[in-house]
Structures are given as C-alpha cells and as structure tokens.
Amino acid sequence: MVGMDTKERQASWRERRKQTCTRIGELWIANELVPLLDDLTGYYGIGRVALIEKLIADRHAAWSEGDDAPAPAAMT
C-alpha cells in the first residue's frame, strides 16, 4: 500500500470488500451470512431490507425494554 494515493487505496479496499461482502441497501453483509439472512427472509416472508429493519427495531426494543431512560442519541 506504500506509494498509493488515497483514491488508489480506496479503490483497492472497495475491490476487497466486493469479494468478501454483499451489499443490501446501504449495508454490507459478510458473504457467509447471506444464506442465513435468506433463510430468515423465507421464514418471515419479508424482503432482506425489511428483515434487517425488523431485527434492528426488535433488538432496540429488547434493549430499551423496562428502561425509563431515553435511548442514546445514536440509537434514535
């Protein structure tokens, strides 16, 4: 990587990421997790993006359940 400018480093990183990850919406998921995600989408009968949104919302609800304090700004 020595001798590469910023654009070249970013392009190299993007190429490596494309080999190891799959893009779903604005999210990159490791290739080995995609079949698991597809199993869950079949079980729930919803698309990948909707399932990811559901998982995040459910996890946030479980995390904040019984907690009277508001969620951190990053979680809202």
Side-chain angles (χ1 to χ4, degrees), residues 4-73:
M4 295 177 120
D5 66 9
T6 303
K7 284 186 177 185
E8 291 170 333
R9 267 195 312 278
Q10 288 176 349
S12 173
W13 181 76
R14 284 187 191 105
E15 284 303 314
R16 286 193 314 272
R17 182 177 60 183
K18 285 180 185 177
Q19 294 171 1
T20 61
C21 298
T22 300
R23 187 172 182 172
I24 300 171
E26 294 295 319
L27 185 66
W28 288 89
I29 305 263
N31 286 337
E32 57 269 9
L33 297 177
V34 173
L36 304 174
L37 182 64
D38 289 339
D39 286 346
L40 287 172
T41 59
Y43 178 78
Y44 286 105
I46 58 178
R48 288 176 171 176
V49 173
L51 178 65
I52 292 168
E53 290 170 350
K54 176 185 176 7
L55 292 172
I56 292 170
D58 288 352
R59 189 67 209 133
H60 182 269
W63 171 77
S64 61
E65 185 176 302
D67 186 7
D68 292 336

